[in-house]
Amino acid sequence: MKSLQRGISVLAIAGALLGLVPGCATVATHEEYVAYRGVRQASERNDRLAALERYATTYPGGLWIEEVRAERAEHEEAVWTEGNSTREGLQFYLAVFPDGAHVEAAQQRLAALGTVQERREVEQEHVQEVQQEQRAVAAEDRRLWVTRAVTFWTRTLLGIRNFGQPISAVARANPDFSQAFGQPPAPVCNPQGCLKHYHASYVIPVPGATRIDREMHVFLRLHLDRGRVQRVEVLMPNKGFSRWYELENRTLVTDEDPTQRMAAIEWAMQRLEPVIAEVATGARAIDVVPEPIAPISQAAQAASTRAEESDTEVPGQPQPAQPEQQAPQAGGEAQPADGSIDQLLEQAVGGGAAQGEQPQALPEEPPPDTSALVLPIGLRGLQRGNVRMVVFAAGDEDYAEAYDGFYIELARD
């Protein structure tokens, strides 16, 4: 009997140690031990708090639960104080103390921060949309700058009524022309005239390849004879009508292909014709064979390039040309406005120069030899009174400057 009792006692003790007695948690399972071991081995505070939360949630009646609860209680207020003003801090608090004393407050603050964040994201999206629209507008401006420049200068130059008069008289009678020509990109001048240079680079995408880099140049050249305006030219080198078409349409034009070249010329004329029809009212069509266009020298191009300040900036729409002013006010001859072409010419020849920085001087050169130049193709000729306009394109055999463009000049016949 005594032996049987002794055996029962041993079994009871073993059962308790093995957790077989109901309500007794004197022995941990392997999984609980692994969870607690994760707490003990966590070296960083946040890692340890996360391990404590996992143990407390998974083993609420575990062997080490009292120790875990005590340590969590010790850290809760510090975690709340440190993180209750940031999204990350509140999210961490709720993650490691889902049953904590500040859960409701944390949820409310997190919701408020979420509203603020959503508002900020909406505002940021709006800013990005505005910036994207601005980039698109800027890209469109770069694409269309030649059309703007050609339209403006066609309208402005055709509005000049007193070709053949001294530049001072032309400047006074046509203030829009005078001011616009003198504005950036700054012209360079000498007693024989002025040169203004617009320039920009562009890219043509090529299917199956990378891209083709191109340049577009527009020159405005003013010719004087003993100070009198004789001729104004708008010149686009390198068969510029083709380059203009490429810039706006992002399509390659092979000038050696007659079909492509003619399509580019016709496209350019479609942009010039409406402006000419609007301004050159009363003009009659004339047959004209344009003379060769004197090339712009390398020295003149270099001087005009150095003077550039805003390559593709085009003035706003001009006002209608005003009639020539009568006698100046008492006290002497009217003075040219600052930045006007009249003032630039005065500075270029050394008379009435303003103090401070002087404009670039256009090199004086002998008349060019035009005997070897290729005749351009006349596209359109108009004459009104003693002024005529000729629109032309470079000939197929022109492999030099190959100017496309137009000129307006005092007719001598």
Side-chain angles (χ1 to χ4, degrees):
M1 178 61 91
K2 290 182 179 180
S3 299
L4 180 59
Q5 290 177 341
R6 192 182 305 113
I8 292 173
S9 299
V10 171
L11 290 174
I13 293 171
L17 291 174
L18 293 174
L20 299 178
V21 179
C24 182
T26 56
V27 175
T29 64
H30 175 72
E31 290 77 10
E32 181 185 349
Y33 174 73
V34 169
Y36 179 70
R37 188 167 179 265
V39 172
R40 305 300 297 175
Q41 290 184 337
S43 58
E44 299 292 334
R45 189 198 71 162
N46 288 1
D47 294 339
R48 187 176 181 88
L49 288 171
L52 287 167
E53 187 279 328
R54 286 194 297 272
Y55 182 92
T57 301
T58 307
Y59 303 103
L63 183 61
W64 295 282
I65 190 61
E66 294 304 325
E67 176 188 338
V68 167
R69 287 173 179 166
E71 187 170 350
R72 294 182 73 219
E74 178 184 346
H75 289 286
E76 181 177 356
E77 287 304 317
V79 172
W80 168 251
T81 302
E82 292 171 6
N84 63 18
S85 61
T86 67
R87 173 185 290 272
E88 293 76 12
L90 291 168
Q91 289 175 335
F92 180 72
Y93 175 85
L94 290 172
V96 297
F97 295 104
D99 54 348
H102 305 287
V103 167
E104 184 176 354
Q107 291 172 339
Q108 292 173 350
R109 290 194 178 196
L110 195 59
L113 287 175
T115 301
V116 172
Q117 182 63 27
E118 288 177 3
R119 186 180 303 115
R120 288 176 179 172
E121 290 175 355
V122 170
E123 291 174 352
Q124 184 62 30
E125 287 178 3
H126 176 68
V127 169
Q128 292 175 351
E129 289 175 358
V130 170
Q131 291 175 342
Q132 186 174 358
E133 290 175 359
Q134 291 173 340
R135 288 192 294 269
V137 169
E140 189 70 356
D141 285 344
R142 289 192 297 271
R143 189 178 70 86
L144 299 177
W145 74 265
V146 177
T147 294
R148 295 199 315 276
V150 171
T151 299
F152 175 86
W153 286 111
T154 302
R155 182 179 286 114
T156 301
L157 298 176
L158 282 172
I160 296 176
R161 295 287 187 266
N162 49 353
F163 271 88
Q165 295 190 17
I167 184 62
S168 57
V170 174
R172 287 195 303 270
N174 303 274
D176 294 310
F177 160 70
S178 178
Q179 287 295 322
F181 202 98
Q183 295 305 306
V188 291
C189 299
N190 66 19
Q192 284 72 50
C194 290
L195 183 68
K196 188 179 184 70
H197 182 194
Y198 294 97
H199 161 253
S201 300
Y202 63 97
V203 171
I204 303 173
V206 178
T210 309
R211 66 182 195 180
I212 296 177
D213 295 315
R214 295 284 209 190
E215 290 189 346
M216 180 73 204
H217 298 266
V218 178
F219 291 96
L220 273 69
R221 183 163 62 178
L222 174 68
H223 292 267
L224 301 178
D225 181 10
R226 295 187 297 277
R228 296 177 179 272
V229 179
Q230 301 297 310
R231 173 167 163 150
V232 181
E233 300 168 335
V234 174
L235 304 176
M236 306 179 201
N238 190 27
K239 299 187 176 177
F241 287 162
S242 297
R243 308 291 77 77
W244 182 9
Y245 179 94
E246 288 179 339
L247 172 63
E248 287 205 11
N249 296 282
R250 293 295 191 264
T251 302
L252 180 65
V253 175
T254 303
D255 293 323
E256 291 74 19
D257 184 326
T259 302
Q260 293 186 23
R261 171 66 173 157
M262 185 55 64
I265 292 174
E266 291 176 354
W267 178 91
M269 290 301 296
Q270 289 170 4
R271 276 135 192 84
L272 281 169
E273 291 282 4
V275 185
I276 295 172
E278 172 192 340
V279 183
T281 55
R284 59 185 175 87
I286 58 173
D287 293 327
V288 62
V289 178
E291 70 273 14
I293 305 299
I296 300 170
S297 69
Q298 294 297 322
Q301 291 192 41
S304 67
T305 299
R306 287 195 300 272
E308 289 178 12
E309 298 177 30
S310 179
D311 290 351
T312 61
E313 182 178 341
V314 180
Q317 294 300 320
Q319 299 297 318
Q322 300 296 319
E324 183 177 356
Q325 297 180 4
Q326 302 300 318
Q329 299 283 337
E333 184 176 348
Q335 296 299 312
D338 290 344
S340 69
I341 189 172
D342 198 7
Q343 183 191 56
L344 289 169
L345 283 166
E346 285 189 2
Q347 294 179 16
V349 300
Q355 297 296 321
E357 184 178 358
Q358 298 294 311
Q360 292 284 341
L362 185 63
E364 295 189 38
E365 300 173 351
D369 179 12
T370 60
S371 60
L373 298 178
V374 179
L375 287 175
I377 302 169
L379 302 176
R380 178 81 184 274
L382 293 172
Q383 185 157 340
R384 181 174 58 189
N386 63 346
V387 176
R388 67 184 170 198
M389 175 185 188
V390 177
V391 184
F392 60 87
D396 294 339
E397 302 303 319
D398 190 343
Y399 301 109
E401 296 298 332
Y403 293 116
D404 292 342
F406 66 86
Y407 58 82
I408 303 171
E409 65 179 359
L410 183 66
R412 300 186 181 279
D413 46 6

Coordinates of all heavy atoms in Angstrom, one line a residue, residues 27-59:
V27 N 5.2 25.2 -16.3 CA 6.2 24.8 -17.3 C 5.7 25.4 -18.6 O 4.6 25.4 -19.0 CB 6.2 23.3 -17.5 CG1 7.1 22.9 -18.6 CG2 6.7 22.6 -16.2
A28 N 6.7 26.1 -19.3 CA 6.5 26.8 -20.6 C 6.6 25.8 -21.7 O 7.4 24.9 -21.7 CB 7.4 28.0 -20.8
T29 N 5.8 26.1 -22.8 CA 6.0 25.3 -24.0 C 7.2 25.8 -24.7 O 7.8 26.9 -24.4 CB 4.8 25.5 -24.9 OG1 4.7 26.8 -25.3 CG2 3.5 25.0 -24.2
H30 N 7.6 25.1 -25.7 CA 8.8 25.5 -26.5 C 8.6 26.8 -27.2 O 9.4 27.7 -27.3 CB 9.1 24.4 -27.5 CG 10.3 24.8 -28.4 ND1 11.6 24.8 -28.1 CD2 10.2 25.1 -29.8 CE1 12.3 25.2 -29.1 NE2 11.5 25.4 -30.1
E31 N 7.3 26.9 -27.8 CA 7.0 28.2 -28.5 C 7.0 29.4 -27.6 O 7.5 30.4 -27.9 CB 5.6 28.0 -29.1 CG 5.6 27.1 -30.3 CD 5.5 25.6 -29.8 OE1 5.4 25.4 -28.6 OE2 5.7 24.7 -30.7
E32 N 6.5 29.2 -26.3 CA 6.5 30.3 -25.4 C 7.9 30.7 -25.0 O 8.3 31.8 -24.9 CB 5.7 30.0 -24.1 CG 5.6 31.1 -23.1 CD 4.9 30.7 -21.8 OE1 4.3 29.7 -21.8 OE2 5.0 31.5 -20.9
Y33 N 8.7 29.6 -24.8 CA 10.1 29.9 -24.4 C 10.8 30.7 -25.5 O 11.6 31.6 -25.3 CB 10.8 28.6 -24.2 CG 12.3 28.8 -23.9 CD1 12.8 29.4 -22.8 CD2 13.2 28.4 -24.9 CE1 14.1 29.6 -22.6 CE2 14.6 28.6 -24.7 CZ 15.0 29.2 -23.5 OH 16.4 29.4 -23.3
V34 N 10.5 30.3 -26.8 CA 11.2 31.0 -27.9 C 10.7 32.5 -27.9 O 11.5 33.4 -28.2 CB 10.8 30.3 -29.3 CG1 11.2 31.2 -30.5 CG2 11.4 29.0 -29.4
A35 N 9.4 32.7 -27.7 CA 8.9 34.1 -27.6 C 9.6 34.9 -26.5 O 10.0 36.1 -26.7 CB 7.4 34.1 -27.5
Y36 N 9.7 34.3 -25.4 CA 10.3 35.0 -24.3 C 11.8 35.2 -24.5 O 12.4 36.2 -24.2 CB 10.1 34.2 -23.0 CG 10.8 34.9 -21.8 CD1 10.3 36.1 -21.2 CD2 11.9 34.3 -21.2 CE1 10.9 36.7 -20.2 CE2 12.5 34.9 -20.1 CZ 12.0 36.1 -19.6 OH 12.6 36.7 -18.5
R37 N 12.4 34.2 -25.1 CA 13.9 34.3 -25.5 C 14.1 35.5 -26.4 O 15.1 36.2 -26.4 CB 14.4 33.0 -26.1 CG 15.9 33.0 -26.3 CD 16.3 31.5 -26.6 NE 17.7 31.4 -26.9 CZ 18.3 31.5 -28.1 NH1 17.5 31.6 -29.1 NH2 19.6 31.4 -28.2
G38 N 13.1 35.7 -27.3 CA 13.2 36.9 -28.2 C 13.2 38.2 -27.5 O 13.9 39.2 -27.9
V39 N 12.4 38.3 -26.4 CA 12.5 39.5 -25.5 C 13.8 39.7 -24.9 O 14.4 40.8 -25.0 CB 11.4 39.4 -24.4 CG1 11.5 40.5 -23.4 CG2 10.0 39.3 -25.0
R40 N 14.4 38.6 -24.4 CA 15.7 38.7 -23.7 C 16.8 39.1 -24.6 O 17.8 39.7 -24.2 CB 15.9 37.4 -22.9 CG 14.9 36.9 -22.0 CD 14.6 37.9 -20.9 NE 15.7 38.1 -20.0 CZ 15.8 39.0 -19.0 NH1 14.7 39.7 -18.8 NH2 16.9 39.1 -18.3
Q41 N 16.7 38.6 -25.9 CA 17.8 38.8 -26.8 C 17.7 40.1 -27.6 O 18.7 40.5 -28.2 CB 17.9 37.7 -27.8 CG 18.3 36.4 -27.1 CD 18.5 35.3 -28.1 OE1 17.9 35.3 -29.2 NE2 19.3 34.2 -27.8
A42 N 16.6 40.8 -27.5 CA 16.4 42.1 -28.2 C 17.3 43.2 -27.6 O 17.2 43.5 -26.4 CB 15.0 42.6 -28.2
S43 N 18.2 43.7 -28.4 CA 19.2 44.7 -27.9 C 18.7 46.1 -28.0 O 19.0 47.0 -27.2 CB 20.5 44.6 -28.6 OG 20.3 44.8 -30.0
E44 N 17.9 46.4 -29.0 CA 17.3 47.8 -29.2 C 16.0 47.9 -28.4 O 15.2 47.0 -28.4 CB 17.1 48.1 -30.7 CG 18.4 48.0 -31.5 CD 19.3 49.2 -31.1 OE1 18.8 50.2 -30.6 OE2 20.6 49.0 -31.3
R45 N 15.8 49.1 -27.9 CA 14.5 49.3 -27.1 C 13.3 49.0 -27.9 O 12.4 48.3 -27.4 CB 14.5 50.8 -26.6 CG 13.4 51.0 -25.6 CD 13.0 52.4 -25.4 NE 12.3 53.0 -26.5 CZ 11.6 54.1 -26.5 NH1 11.6 54.8 -25.4 NH2 11.1 54.6 -27.6
N46 N 13.2 49.6 -29.1 CA 12.0 49.4 -29.9 C 11.8 47.9 -30.3 O 10.6 47.4 -30.3 CB 12.0 50.2 -31.1 CG 11.9 51.7 -30.8 OD1 11.7 52.1 -29.7 ND2 11.9 52.5 -31.9
D47 N 12.8 47.2 -30.6 CA 12.7 45.8 -30.8 C 12.2 45.0 -29.6 O 11.4 44.1 -29.7 CB 14.1 45.2 -31.3 CG 14.5 45.8 -32.7 OD1 13.6 46.3 -33.4 OD2 15.7 45.8 -33.0
R48 N 12.7 45.4 -28.4 CA 12.3 44.7 -27.2 C 10.9 45.0 -26.9 O 10.1 44.1 -26.5 CB 13.2 45.2 -26.0 CG 13.0 44.5 -24.7 CD 14.0 44.9 -23.7 NE 13.8 44.2 -22.4 CZ 14.4 43.1 -22.1 NH1 15.2 42.5 -23.0 NH2 14.2 42.5 -21.0
L49 N 10.4 46.3 -27.1 CA 9.0 46.6 -26.9 C 8.1 45.8 -27.8 O 7.0 45.3 -27.4 CB 8.8 48.1 -27.0 CG 9.3 49.0 -25.9 CD1 9.2 50.4 -26.3 CD2 8.6 48.7 -24.6
A50 N 8.5 45.6 -29.0 CA 7.7 44.8 -30.0 C 7.7 43.4 -29.6 O 6.6 42.7 -29.6 CB 8.3 45.0 -31.4
A51 N 8.8 42.9 -29.1 CA 8.8 41.5 -28.6 C 8.0 41.3 -27.4 O 7.3 40.3 -27.2 CB 10.3 41.0 -28.3
L52 N 8.0 42.3 -26.5 CA 7.2 42.2 -25.3 C 5.7 42.2 -25.6 O 4.9 41.4 -25.0 CB 7.4 43.4 -24.4 CG 8.8 43.4 -23.6 CD1 9.1 44.8 -23.0 CD2 8.8 42.4 -22.5
E53 N 5.3 43.0 -26.6 CA 3.9 43.0 -27.1 C 3.5 41.7 -27.6 O 2.4 41.2 -27.4 CB 3.7 44.2 -28.1 CG 2.2 44.4 -28.5 CD 1.7 43.4 -29.5 OE1 2.6 43.0 -30.3 OE2 0.5 43.1 -29.5
R54 N 4.3 41.1 -28.4 CA 4.0 39.8 -29.0 C 3.8 38.7 -28.0 O 2.9 37.9 -28.0 CB 5.1 39.4 -30.0 CG 5.1 40.2 -31.3 CD 6.0 39.5 -32.4 NE 7.4 39.5 -32.0 CZ 8.3 40.4 -32.2 NH1 7.9 41.5 -32.9 NH2 9.5 40.3 -31.8
Y55 N 4.7 38.8 -26.9 CA 4.6 37.8 -25.9 C 3.3 38.0 -25.1 O 2.5 37.0 -24.8 CB 5.8 37.8 -24.9 CG 5.7 36.8 -23.8 CD1 6.3 35.5 -24.0 CD2 5.0 37.0 -22.7 CE1 6.2 34.6 -23.0 CE2 4.9 36.1 -21.7 CZ 5.5 34.8 -21.9 OH 5.4 33.9 -20.9
A56 N 3.0 39.3 -24.7 CA 1.8 39.5 -23.9 C 0.5 39.2 -24.6 O -0.4 38.7 -24.0 CB 1.8 41.0 -23.5
T57 N 0.5 39.4 -25.9 CA -0.7 39.1 -26.7 C -0.9 37.6 -26.9 O -2.0 37.1 -26.9 CB -0.6 39.8 -28.1 OG1 -0.5 41.2 -27.9 CG2 -1.9 39.5 -28.9
T58 N 0.2 36.9 -27.2 CA 0.2 35.5 -27.5 C 0.0 34.6 -26.2 O -0.7 33.6 -26.3 CB 1.4 35.1 -28.3 OG1 1.6 36.0 -29.4 CG2 1.3 33.7 -28.8
Y59 N 0.7 35.1 -25.1 CA 0.7 34.2 -23.9 C 0.2 35.1 -22.7 O 1.0 35.4 -21.8 CB 2.1 33.7 -23.7 CG 2.6 32.9 -24.8 CD1 3.5 33.5 -25.7 CD2 2.2 31.6 -25.1 CE1 4.0 32.7 -26.8 CE2 2.6 30.9 -26.2 CZ 3.6 31.5 -27.0 OH 4.0 30.7 -28.1

